[in-house]
Amino acid sequence: MYDTSLFDVRTDLAIEETERQKKQGYPSYPGVSVDEYDHTDLSNNKGSIHVTTVRIQSEESAHVLGKAMGTYITLEVPDMVQNDGHIHREISQVLAHYLQDLLKSHFPVHKYSQTQQGLQVLVVGLGNADVTPDALGPRVLSHVLITRHLQNGSFQKPDFPIDSASVCGIVPGVMAQTGIETAEIIKALTDQIHPDIIIVIDALAARSVTRLGTTIQLTDTGIHPGSGVGNHRHSLTQDSLGIPVIAIGVPTVVGAAAIVTDTLDTLIEVLCRETDTKHFADALRSMAPDEKYTLVRELLEPRFGPMFVTPKDIDDTIKRVSFTISEGINLALFGDVASHTQKESHQSSLQL
Amino acid sequence: MYDTSLFDVRTDLAIEETERQKKQGYPSYPGVSVDEYDHTDLSNNKGSIHVTTVRIQSEESAHVLGKAMGTYITLEVPDMVQNDGHIHREISQVLAHYLQDLLKSHFPVHKYSQTQQGLQVLVVGLGNADVTPDALGPRVLSHVLITRHLQNGSFQKPDFPIDSASVCGIVPGVMAQTGIETAEIIKALTDQIHPDIIIVIDALAARSVTRLGTTIQLTDTGIHPGSGVGNHRHSLTQDSLGIPVIAIGVPTVVGAAAIVTDTLDTLIEVLCRETDTKHFADALRSMAPDEKYTLVRELLEPRFGPMFVTPKDIDDTIKRVSFTISEGINLALFGDVASHTQKESHQSSLQL
Amino acid sequence: MYDTSLFDVRTDLAIEETERQKKQGYPSYPGVSVDEYDHTDLSNNKGSIHVTTVRIQSEESAHVLGKAMGTYITLEVPDMVQNDGHIHREISQVLAHYLQDLLKSHFPVHKYSQTQQGLQVLVVGLGNADVTPDALGPRVLSHVLITRHLQNGSFQKPDFPIDSASVCGIVPGVMAQTGIETAEIIKALTDQIHPDIIIVIDALAARSVTRLGTTIQLTDTGIHPGSGVGNHRHSLTQDSLGIPVIAIGVPTVVGAAAIVTDTLDTLIEVLCRETDTKHFADALRSMAPDEKYTLVRELLEPRFGPMFVTPKDIDDTIKRVSFTISEGINLALFGDVASHTQKESHQSSLQL
Amino acid sequence: MYDTSLFDVRTDLAIEETERQKKQGYPSYPGVSVDEYDHTDLSNNKGSIHVTTVRIQSEESAHVLGKAMGTYITLEVPDMVQNDGHIHREISQVLAHYLQDLLKSHFPVHKYSQTQQGLQVLVVGLGNADVTPDALGPRVLSHVLITRHLQNGSFQKPDFPIDSASVCGIVPGVMAQTGIETAEIIKALTDQIHPDIIIVIDALAARSVTRLGTTIQLTDTGIHPGSGVGNHRHSLTQDSLGIPVIAIGVPTVVGAAAIVTDTLDTLIEVLCRETDTKHFADALRSMAPDEKYTLVRELLEPRFGPMFVTPKDIDDTIKRVSFTISEGINLALFGDVASHTQKESHQSSLQL
């Protein structure tokens, strides 16, 4: 709503950065590893889940890629837009697997045994519940198992495993609603209740519309300024909060600027096919970045302002994916306790 | 909202009528059969589902019981208020079983084969989505598989079974929102799209708070004036609409009048235990119904007006049960097609 | 959601058609009159309301313009995006003025006196309440004074003017939710309750983002296939429903196709400024429409599919404008009765 | 939801305490002053606003009345349930008047001039947005003018008065949703952003249903354990937060326990009218409080548990009153700045 980087051709997806840089003929980066893996579901003939793990371990590469150092795990599932319980159940399980890996990488096993209550987790649902594509975070939180109040004092449930995670959560709202930076609210809450770790869920901006509702990004680098549909101005990271911050995001919008730039690039390709326009295409392609930037500004300003592009059925996508992610979180934090419920998802409750 | 029978001690549950009449020493009724069955879940040690089927087949008994002739199937599940995926999955399956029985009792098997599209079903979500305990119908409809538009013309999905049910649905709203009787809207729609059968979901008023969120009533007698939380003034029945009307309801409120009357009855019991007040209790008990009614009016009017009593956590109950019912409907109508999704429920998405 | 004309560069605004045609050097059309008027608010120094009335009275021009014959009244108010009670109150009054003119043009004055209940109006709130930019219709309806049930029988309120309009309303939902064409639902309801006239509110698609939230279109030509954010496939017109249909719409989205085409056009302008690219710009401009169309398809397909572009603060716009329109309708239908309330608007309830 | 005082016959209204104590023949209390005033609206013939100011200034009386020391201002407006813009506008103005008095009693005038930004206010919307009668706080907050982010740095709006109040707000949710005590969240936020004062809005429980939607309580004693529809377990007071806490509440529910007790009292009155039962009535009336309590427990337990009683049209009441209160707050904090908007209310947007 207060996007100060309108014309920055933004993506919140590390994997898109990598792709883009590669396209532009950059060499592979020092201290950056990329692993890929396919989780194929044998139980049905539907598509598999392609997982790419990008580890950025050098300052320099982090700078070049414009991403913080850390681990970025990307689940690519074209069928995630489908209303199929099998697939979403599988996604929840794969997400839980990688989420647990990230958790363990930040806490030695004995941490879990040291405490009676297990990990103290604060789950934050970022975004504006009143704007459909920005409502992912609030919707996910409404499905996450909240247990902290059950373990503290009078609400103890005997049949509830005393050593499972203690989970609390909050939907801080957006600054136009509260007048307070989300980062201020989370910082205040963290200092008050001292969780071991924070899991933040947010709707992301992608560069390519093919990413919308088909990709889940999991990272331990937290949330950085300018990221998310609402473009947070302050960061939610281990540096700013003092504890690890895991961010789970799904692209739900593409910035208008990104679309225009993509259109230009595609236009260039098109022109190149015709000899009589090739020389212009070459000239256009050879434009220096800042010339291109100036041109894009002229094309955009003031017409596109803080606009975003989103699919017409974004409500179904948000409804479906928010539940799939919440189940992944529940399974990662409660394991067997939640497993019999984790196997379930409400995909059939969505329109075909 | 326009309840014209405020002081009528109402229940929408046939089973409560039966109980009440029995309490009052009535003989069993001619033409009324009562069957009971326990569905025990072997897969867990949680409580079972107690199903009572009341068939009212004589005009006289219907009159005495103040219920229309037809079949009333009541599922009693004390654990339905629990957030346990197993139980809710089981309830959906049992509900689907009895719903299919009702459907088959109204349509010969060959009906299903005669048509390419199978049964044409209109699902109606009654109630006010803005009043939590009255939002059951709208919430259920948001989870029902809607397929009619997929089978008509351009939206045909090749992988969708051509002979499965064609389901459409509507949330008509309440009269204060529309200015139109719900019955008018449904009658109009029925005459326009000619479904084979209507399934109506509505929040009910019970007499006992122990019924709230723990009972599901399934009947082929439709909706009658004064029933439901919103107290419909016109009926939705085979007589009024020309096609069978199956009603699925869950008690979510108790009328203030019912509570006061119950309090009186309990008071009498209490008084009887003490000799010094017994004679008064006897006198009070011996009051003629209309005397009692007058007393209740004095106790109520104008204080209680159109009030209802509902639990503080009614939002969780509505969220949970609405999904359980929608899954039962989806399984009954789509069978194997939906079965892999039907096994799922989003109970874990609810707060413990 | 089932947009069958993805790459058609659509606008639902007659005024944009006129502008575009003019740009393209067409002559003015026979049988088309355009009147403009400025309503300046003396009470404050904020901008005025520019009203353009386009009357299309010849078949031929209707065909060329791709719009139905009838009257199109457009209110242009750049300040409508502001949170200023004065301006919105003024807009409601101006809207009421033109709405009454349209009503009177369809009903002789004596109509009002002939009936005790005055005009029977059905207000339809089109769109998907779950998708923010498509929620205009449902939101407007929640603010419209519903009186039909107060005048029928038992709900008569003595202090309510017996000769004022009888207003009822419905939110039919979208096909993905109901499986039923909106047109079927409205047709059925119209045949059942026989209103004199229908007022339909819908969110529109514009070509220019500068139109979003700053323009209100009022027309007596109803809703046509492919119009609205949801792209209705069937029409809601006097031809299809047998009674006059007045449509009130506000642009809340721009189709992705429109944005790309605009970008192309702007690109051409930019290129023309530089001599070395001018010849290419000329060539590009001289492309035949179908060539251009092919180019746009190449640029779009499959990347943009059924996407729309909308502002990040669309939730505030919908909240604000939906109330402004409902007040205009209330004043037009209830005049002095509603005037003391009409003077009010809840603009201050919106974030600055 | 975790009500630990089910059978305590609760009221959150100081005025009801006073009444009850008086009924029971208590003497007036030392250190307790009661002032009453009628604000009559000359502009219409509708009822006036009756304001009672109770000041509790002695520990002893505070103890006897079971209320904290401080000022309790009660607005009684039977017509507040009406959909009349005049009345609600008037209520907003009267509320603003008394709210400003409370603010000034806590801050010397020079405080306002000392700071460039004026008073720093944190507005808290307590309650569960998903349970209609508990949604008052969240609904009010959605209408309050939020300005803090406009005055801090980059969002400064030149046309916004630099010396007006800086307002921020939050909807903390309820413990079943967050796992965190509301008091913990507010304490954390207060320590982080250091407001001068907190204004808390909450739905209250009354003893008499005649209070529902017709009474507004304004107090500088904050929120105490067990108060509110959700029964907070920790307090939000100057003692706990270190800054003044003004609470604004409207009764939206009556506890089941209160209704039963009222029924008993009414029953006694009824019995007294008939000689043959008078002696019993006397006996019953003469019961010691703890006997009566035991009887009430028998009547209630376990039947009523955490139940509440609320009107069927509570959604309209919440919609209407939440706006009226937000306007009162906006006027009190922004005065002339907001006055032109304050005069407005969206009452006409509600069903008659």
Side-chain angles (χ1 to χ4, degrees):
Chain A
M1 204 159 288
Y2 298 98
D3 188 348
T4 54
S5 57
L6 297 187
F7 306 113
D8 169 18
V9 180
R10 259 187 58 215
T11 178
D12 296 325
L13 293 175
I15 200 169
E16 282 191 325
E17 280 301 333
T18 330
E19 282 169 351
R20 183 169 60 157
Q21 302 289 342
K22 274 184 182 151
K23 265 199 200 137
Q24 296 172 16
Y26 279 74
S28 67
Y29 309 97
V32 174
S33 70
V34 178
D35 302 324
E36 313 206 10
Y37 186 80
D38 278 313
H39 292 264
T40 313
D41 181 1
L42 303 175
S43 70
N44 66 16
N45 54 7
K46 289 296 182 73
S48 64
I49 302 171
H50 184 72
V51 180
T52 306
T53 303
V54 177
R55 289 186 184 76
I56 304 180
Q57 284 147 322
S58 92
E59 294 284 7
E60 180 205 357
S61 299
H63 178 74
V64 176
L65 292 167
K67 291 286 168 193
M69 286 175 62
T71 303
Y72 299 86
I73 301 163
T74 308
L75 282 62
E76 296 177 271
V77 199
D79 291 328
M80 192 158 75
V81 294
Q82 302 298 322
N83 175 16
D84 179 324
H86 276 314
I87 293 170
H88 286 265
R89 208 150 53 245
E90 190 191 345
I91 298 170
S92 296
Q93 283 159 340
V94 172
L95 176 61
H97 168 77
Y98 286 94
L99 177 54
Q100 278 187 328
D101 281 353
L102 273 188
L103 288 170
K104 285 170 184 163
S105 72
H106 286 275
F107 298 101
V109 176
H110 60 77
K111 162 71 185 175
Y112 293 94
S113 50
Q114 266 181 341
T115 163
Q116 260 213 317
Q117 296 192 328
L119 213 56
Q120 308 267 344
V121 183
L122 168 62
V123 184
V124 178
L126 292 181
N128 183 347
D130 295 336
V131 176
T132 310
D134 199 19
L136 180 74
R139 292 292 293 268
V140 167
L141 200 60
S142 73
H143 295 308
V144 169
L145 282 167
I146 298 298
T147 62
R148 180 172 177 271
H149 59 301
L150 303 178
Q151 298 170 334
N152 293 355
S154 57
F155 304 145
Q156 178 65 53
K157 278 196 180 174
D159 66 347
F160 197 81
I162 193 63
D163 64 349
S164 67
S166 164
V167 178
C168 58
I170 191 151
V171 173
V174 295
M175 191 152 49
Q177 298 167 330
T178 63
I180 311 169
E181 273 287 347
T182 301
E184 285 184 287
I185 298 173
I186 304 309
K187 173 64 174 166
L189 206 52
T190 304
D191 296 346
Q192 173 78 21
I193 66 178
H194 305 296
D196 297 316
I197 192 166
I198 293 178
I199 298 176
V200 179
I201 298 96
D202 196 13
L204 305 178
R207 283 210 51 199
S208 161
V209 296
T210 60
R211 293 284 179 189
L212 302 184
T214 65
T215 303
I216 299 177
Q217 177 170 278
L218 179 64
T219 175
D220 59 2
T221 58
I223 302 282
H224 292 271
S227 63
V229 173
N231 288 74
H232 319 293
R233 298 184 316 144
H234 296 323
S235 50
L236 294 173
T237 62
Q238 181 149 16
D239 285 351
S240 63
L241 297 173
I243 54 175
V245 179
I246 293 178
I248 302 176
V250 174
T252 62
V253 305
V254 173
I259 289 220
V260 172
T261 307
D262 284 357
T263 309
L264 261 181
D265 295 344
T266 316
L267 175 62
I268 293 173
E269 290 166 28
V270 174
L271 298 175
C272 292
R273 304 197 200 117
E274 288 132 51
T275 48
D276 64 333
T277 56
K278 189 172 186 320
H279 69 285
F280 166 70
D282 296 335
L284 201 56
R285 189 196 292 123
S286 67
M287 282 174 94
D290 57 353
E291 289 180 86
K292 214 167 195 169
Y293 179 79
T294 309
L295 177 56
V296 173
R297 283 190 68 99
E298 282 192 84
L299 293 173
L300 283 178
E301 198 166 38
R303 230 206 297 51
F304 293 120
M307 297 277 154
F308 59 70
V309 178
T310 193
K312 282 181 176 169
D313 60 353
I314 187 66
D315 57 328
D316 281 349
T317 302
I318 293 291
K319 194 176 173 190
R320 188 176 298 137
V321 176
S322 64
F323 185 80
T324 304
I325 291 176
S326 67
E327 288 299 69
I329 294 172
N330 290 337
L331 182 58
L333 296 178
F334 296 100
D336 295 346
V337 182
S339 63
H340 76 271
T341 50
Q342 186 280 342
K343 290 200 198 62
E344 304 138 18
S345 93
H346 71 176
Q347 301 321 325
S348 74
S349 68
L350 298 162
Q351 311 310 342
L352 289 182
Chain B
M1 204 159 291
Y2 296 100
D3 188 349
T4 55
S5 57
L6 298 188
F7 306 114
D8 169 17
V9 181
R10 258 187 58 214
T11 177
D12 296 325
L13 293 175
I15 199 167
E16 281 190 327
E17 280 299 336
T18 328
E19 282 168 351
R20 185 169 59 158
Q21 303 288 342
K22 273 184 183 151
K23 267 201 200 131
Q24 295 172 16
Y26 278 73
S28 68
Y29 309 98
V32 175
S33 70
V34 179
D35 301 324
E36 312 205 13
Y37 186 81
D38 277 313
H39 293 265
T40 312
D41 183 0
L42 303 175
S43 71
N44 65 17
N45 53 7
K46 290 296 184 72
S48 66
I49 302 171
H50 185 72
V51 180
T52 307
T53 303
V54 177
R55 289 187 184 76
I56 305 179
Q57 283 149 321
S58 92
E59 294 282 9
E60 181 205 358
S61 298
H63 179 73
V64 175
L65 291 167
K67 291 285 168 193
M69 285 175 64
T71 303
Y72 299 86
I73 300 163
T74 307
L75 282 62
E76 295 175 272
V77 199
D79 292 328
M80 192 158 76
V81 294
Q82 301 298 322
N83 176 17
D84 178 324
H86 276 314
I87 293 170
H88 286 266
R89 207 151 53 245
E90 189 190 346
I91 298 170
S92 296
Q93 284 160 339
V94 171
L95 176 60
H97 168 76
Y98 286 94
L99 177 53
Q100 279 188 328
D101 280 354
L102 273 188
L103 288 170
K104 285 171 183 163
S105 72
H106 287 275
F107 298 101
V109 176
H110 60 76
K111 162 70 184 177
Y112 293 95
S113 53
Q114 266 183 342
T115 165
Q116 262 214 314
Q117 294 192 327
L119 213 54
Q120 307 267 345
V121 182
L122 169 62
V123 184
V124 178
L126 292 181
N128 183 349
D130 295 336
V131 176
T132 311
D134 199 18
L136 181 74
R139 293 292 292 269
V140 167
L141 199 59
S142 74
H143 296 307
V144 170
L145 281 168
I146 298 298
T147 62
R148 181 173 178 270
H149 59 301
L150 302 179
Q151 298 171 336
N152 293 354
S154 55
F155 303 144
Q156 177 65 53
K157 278 198 181 172
D159 65 347
F160 197 82
I162 194 65
D163 65 350
S164 67
S166 162
V167 178
C168 59
I170 191 152
V171 173
V174 295
M175 191 152 49
Q177 296 168 331
T178 63
I180 311 169
E181 273 287 348
T182 302
E184 285 185 287
I185 297 173
I186 304 309
K187 174 65 174 165
L189 205 52
T190 304
D191 295 347
Q192 174 77 21
I193 66 177
H194 304 297
D196 298 316
I197 192 165
I198 293 179
I199 297 177
V200 180
I201 298 95
D202 195 14
L204 304 178
R207 282 210 52 196
S208 159
V209 295
T210 61
R211 294 284 181 190
L212 302 184
T214 65
T215 303
I216 299 176
Q217 176 170 278
L218 179 64
T219 174
D220 59 0
T221 58
I223 301 282
H224 293 271
S227 63
V229 173
N231 290 72
H232 318 294
R233 298 185 315 145
H234 296 323
S235 52
L236 294 172
T237 63
Q238 182 149 15
D239 286 351
S240 63
L241 297 173
I243 55 175
V245 179
I246 292 178
I248 301 176
V250 174
T252 62
V253 306
V254 172
I259 289 227
V260 172
T261 307
D262 285 357
T263 309
L264 261 181
D265 295 344
T266 316
L267 175 61
I268 293 173
E269 289 166 30
V270 174
L271 297 176
C272 292
R273 303 196 202 119
E274 289 134 49
T275 48
D276 64 333
T277 56
K278 190 173 185 320
H279 69 283
F280 166 69
D282 296 335
L284 201 56
R285 189 196 291 122
S286 67
M287 282 174 93
D290 55 354
E291 286 181 273
K292 215 168 194 168
Y293 180 79
T294 309
L295 179 55
V296 173
R297 283 190 68 98
E298 282 192 85
L299 292 173
L300 283 177
E301 201 166 36
R303 233 209 288 56
F304 293 120
M307 296 278 155
F308 59 70
V309 177
T310 194
K312 282 181 176 168
D313 61 351
I314 187 65
D315 57 328
D316 281 348
T317 302
I318 292 291
K319 194 176 174 190
R320 189 177 295 138
V321 175
S322 64
F323 185 79
T324 303
I325 291 176
S326 67
E327 288 300 69
I329 294 172
N330 290 338
L331 182 58
L333 295 177
F334 296 101
D336 296 346
V337 182
S339 62
H340 76 270
T341 50
Q342 186 279 341
K343 288 199 199 64
E344 304 137 20
S345 92
H346 71 173
Q347 301 321 325
S348 74
S349 68
L350 298 162
Q351 309 313 340
L352 289 181
Chain C
M1 202 158 288
Y2 298 101
D3 187 348
T4 55
S5 57
L6 298 188
F7 305 114
D8 168 19
V9 181
R10 262 186 57 215
T11 177
D12 297 324
L13 294 174
I15 199 167
E16 282 191 325
E17 280 300 336
T18 328
E19 282 169 351
R20 185 169 61 158
Q21 302 287 341
K22 274 183 184 154
K23 267 201 199 133
Q24 295 171 16
Y26 279 74
S28 66
Y29 309 98
V32 175
S33 69
V34 178
D35 301 324
E36 313 205 11
Y37 186 80
D38 276 313
H39 293 265
T40 311
D41 182 1
L42 303 173
S43 70
N44 65 17
N45 54 7
K46 290 296 184 71
S48 65
I49 302 172
H50 185 72
V51 180
T52 307
T53 302
V54 177
R55 289 187 184 75
I56 304 179
Q57 283 149 323
S58 93
E59 293 282 10
E60 181 204 356
S61 298
H63 179 74
V64 175
L65 290 167
K67 292 284 166 193
M69 285 175 63
T71 302
Y72 299 86
I73 300 163
T74 307
L75 282 62
E76 296 176 272
V77 200
D79 291 328
M80 191 158 76
V81 294
Q82 300 299 320
N83 175 19
D84 179 323
H86 277 315
I87 293 171
H88 286 266
R89 206 148 55 243
E90 190 190 346
I91 298 170
S92 296
Q93 284 160 340
V94 171
L95 176 60
H97 168 78
Y98 286 93
L99 178 52
Q100 278 188 327
D101 281 354
L102 274 189
L103 288 170
K104 285 170 182 165
S105 73
H106 287 275
F107 299 100
V109 176
H110 60 74
K111 162 69 184 177
Y112 292 94
S113 53
Q114 268 183 340
T115 165
Q116 263 213 314
Q117 295 194 325
L119 213 55
Q120 308 267 344
V121 183
L122 169 62
V123 184
V124 178
L126 293 181
N128 183 349
D130 296 336
V131 176
T132 311
D134 199 18
L136 181 74
R139 292 292 291 268
V140 167
L141 200 61
S142 73
H143 296 308
V144 169
L145 282 168
I146 298 297
T147 62
R148 180 173 178 271
H149 59 301
L150 303 177
Q151 298 171 335
N152 292 355
S154 56
F155 304 145
Q156 177 67 53
K157 276 197 183 171
D159 66 347
F160 197 80
I162 195 61
D163 64 351
S164 67
S166 162
V167 178
C168 58
I170 191 153
V171 173
V174 295
M175 190 153 49
Q177 297 167 329
T178 63
I180 311 169
E181 273 287 346
T182 302
E184 285 185 287
I185 298 173
I186 304 309
K187 174 66 173 163
L189 206 52
T190 305
D191 296 346
Q192 174 78 19
I193 67 178
H194 304 296
D196 297 317
I197 191 165
I198 293 179
I199 298 177
V200 180
I201 298 97
D202 196 15
L204 304 178
R207 282 211 52 197
S208 161
V209 295
T210 61
R211 293 286 181 188
L212 302 184
T214 64
T215 304
I216 299 177
Q217 177 170 277
L218 179 64
T219 175
D220 60 0
T221 58
I223 301 282
H224 292 270
S227 64
V229 173
N231 289 73
H232 320 293
R233 299 184 316 145
H234 297 323
S235 51
L236 294 172
T237 63
Q238 181 150 17
D239 285 350
S240 63
L241 297 173
I243 55 175
V245 179
I246 292 179
I248 301 176
V250 173
T252 62
V253 305
V254 172
I259 290 226
V260 172
T261 307
D262 285 357
T263 309
L264 262 179
D265 295 344
T266 317
L267 176 60
I268 293 173
E269 289 166 30
V270 175
L271 297 175
C272 291
R273 302 192 204 125
E274 290 134 47
T275 47
D276 65 331
T277 56
K278 189 173 185 318
H279 68 283
F280 165 69
D282 297 336
L284 201 55
R285 190 197 291 124
S286 66
M287 283 175 94
D290 56 355
E291 288 180 89
K292 215 169 196 167
Y293 180 80
T294 310
L295 179 56
V296 173
R297 284 192 66 102
E298 282 192 85
L299 292 173
L300 283 178
E301 202 166 32
R303 232 211 282 60
F304 294 120
M307 297 277 155
F308 59 70
V309 178
T310 194
K312 282 180 176 170
D313 60 353
I314 187 65
D315 57 329
D316 281 349
T317 302
I318 293 291
K319 194 176 174 189
R320 189 176 296 138
V321 176
S322 63
F323 185 79
T324 304
I325 291 177
S326 66
E327 289 299 71
I329 294 172
N330 290 337
L331 182 59
L333 296 178
F334 297 100
D336 296 345
V337 181
S339 63
H340 76 270
T341 50
Q342 187 280 338
K343 288 199 201 65
E344 304 138 19
S345 92
H346 69 173
Q347 302 320 323
S348 73
S349 68
L350 297 162
Q351 309 311 338
L352 291 181
Chain D
M1 202 159 289
Y2 295 102
D3 188 347
T4 55
S5 56
L6 298 187
F7 305 114
D8 169 18
V9 181
R10 259 187 59 213
T11 177
D12 296 325
L13 294 175
I15 199 169
E16 282 190 326
E17 279 300 335
T18 329
E19 282 169 351
R20 184 169 60 158
Q21 302 289 341
K22 275 186 182 148
K23 267 200 199 136
Q24 296 172 15
Y26 278 75
S28 67
Y29 308 98
V32 175
S33 69
V34 179
D35 301 324
E36 312 206 11
Y37 186 80
D38 277 313
H39 292 264
T40 313
D41 183 0
L42 304 173
S43 71
N44 67 15
N45 53 8
K46 289 297 183 71
S48 65
I49 301 171
H50 184 72
V51 179
T52 306
T53 302
V54 177
R55 288 186 185 77
I56 304 180
Q57 284 148 321
S58 92
E59 293 284 7
E60 178 204 359
S61 299
H63 178 72
V64 176
L65 291 167
K67 291 285 168 192
M69 285 175 63
T71 303
Y72 299 86
I73 300 163
T74 308
L75 281 63
E76 296 176 271
V77 199
D79 291 328
M80 191 158 77
V81 295
Q82 300 298 321
N83 175 17
D84 179 324
H86 276 314
I87 293 170
H88 286 266
R89 207 151 51 248
E90 190 191 347
I91 297 170
S92 296
Q93 285 159 340
V94 172
L95 176 61
H97 168 76
Y98 286 94
L99 177 54
Q100 278 187 329
D101 281 355
L102 274 189
L103 289 170
K104 286 169 184 164
S105 72
H106 287 275
F107 298 101
V109 176
H110 61 76
K111 161 70 185 178
Y112 293 94
S113 51
Q114 265 183 342
T115 164
Q116 261 213 314
Q117 295 193 326
L119 214 53
Q120 307 268 344
V121 183
L122 169 62
V123 184
V124 178
L126 292 181
N128 184 347
D130 295 336
V131 176
T132 311
D134 199 19
L136 180 75
R139 292 293 291 268
V140 167
L141 200 60
S142 73
H143 295 308
V144 169
L145 282 167
I146 298 297
T147 62
R148 180 172 177 270
H149 59 300
L150 302 177
Q151 299 171 335
N152 293 356
S154 57
F155 303 144
Q156 178 65 54
K157 277 196 180 174
D159 67 347
F160 197 82
I162 194 63
D163 64 351
S164 67
S166 163
V167 179
C168 58
I170 190 149
V171 172
V174 296
M175 190 153 49
Q177 296 167 331
T178 63
I180 311 169
E181 274 286 348
T182 302
E184 284 184 288
I185 298 173
I186 304 310
K187 173 66 174 166
L189 206 52
T190 304
D191 295 346
Q192 173 78 21
I193 65 178
H194 304 297
D196 298 317
I197 192 166
I198 293 179
I199 298 176
V200 179
I201 299 96
D202 196 14
L204 304 178
R207 284 209 51 198
S208 160
V209 296
T210 60
R211 294 285 179 189
L212 302 184
T214 64
T215 304
I216 299 177
Q217 176 171 278
L218 179 64
T219 174
D220 58 2
T221 58
I223 301 281
H224 291 271
S227 64
V229 173
N231 288 75
H232 319 294
R233 298 183 316 145
H234 296 323
S235 52
L236 294 173
T237 63
Q238 181 149 15
D239 286 350
S240 63
L241 297 172
I243 54 175
V245 179
I246 292 178
I248 301 175
V250 174
T252 62
V253 306
V254 173
I259 289 223
V260 172
T261 307
D262 285 357
T263 309
L264 261 179
D265 296 343
T266 316
L267 176 61
I268 293 173
E269 290 166 29
V270 175
L271 298 175
C272 292
R273 305 198 200 118
E274 289 132 50
T275 48
D276 64 333
T277 56
K278 188 172 185 323
H279 68 285
F280 166 69
D282 295 335
L284 202 55
R285 190 198 288 124
S286 65
M287 281 174 93
D290 56 354
E291 288 181 88
K292 212 167 197 171
Y293 180 79
T294 308
L295 179 54
V296 171
R297 285 190 66 101
E298 281 192 85
L299 291 173
L300 282 178
E301 200 168 33
R303 229 203 299 51
F304 292 119
M307 297 278 156
F308 60 70
V309 178
T310 193
K312 282 182 177 170
D313 60 353
I314 187 66
D315 57 328
D316 281 349
T317 302
I318 292 291
K319 194 177 174 189
R320 188 177 297 137
V321 175
S322 64
F323 185 79
T324 304
I325 291 176
S326 68
E327 288 301 71
I329 294 172
N330 290 336
L331 181 59
L333 296 178
F334 296 101
D336 295 345
V337 183
S339 63
H340 75 270
T341 50
Q342 187 280 339
K343 289 199 201 63
E344 304 138 19
S345 96
H346 70 178
Q347 300 320 324
S348 73
S349 67
L350 298 162
Q351 310 309 341
L352 290 182

